[in-house]
Amino acid sequence: MTMRQRDKVTCNCGHVGSIKFSENDQPYSEIWESWSLENLDGSICDNPKSASDILTRSNIKCPECKSTITKEMLQ
């Protein structure tokens, strides 16, 4: 079974995006994990530990106002 998590991010301009995390937690199968952005611009750092880690180490921007997204905007 694949576990999914979505962390909501709200920019100061009011734009809402999210950081999505998926991982395979099925016993006796290959372990994998995947991070992606939804309604946000930028790319994800290598080997992130959490959504907060992504916002600290990556250059993620709001597609509306082009502001840098910070971990304080993570909900």
Side-chain angles (χ1 to χ4, degrees), residues 28-62:
Y28 309 111
S29 66
E30 185 176 342
I31 296 172
W32 58 266
E33 65 181 36
S34 172
W35 292 88
S36 62
L37 300 174
E38 183 175 67
N39 296 323
L40 297 170
D41 291 339
S43 58
I44 295 175
C45 59
D46 291 332
N47 301 317
K49 307 288 186 257
S50 65
S52 180
D53 184 40
I54 289 170
L55 294 176
T56 301
R57 296 176 42 213
S58 300
N59 188 20
I60 310 292
K61 298 217 180 267
C62 172

Side-chain angles (χ1 to χ4, degrees), residues 59-71:
N59 188 20
I60 310 292
K61 298 217 180 267
C62 172
E64 298 293 320
C65 70
K66 305 301 181 202
S67 295
T68 300
I69 301 295
T70 63
K71 63 181 178 177

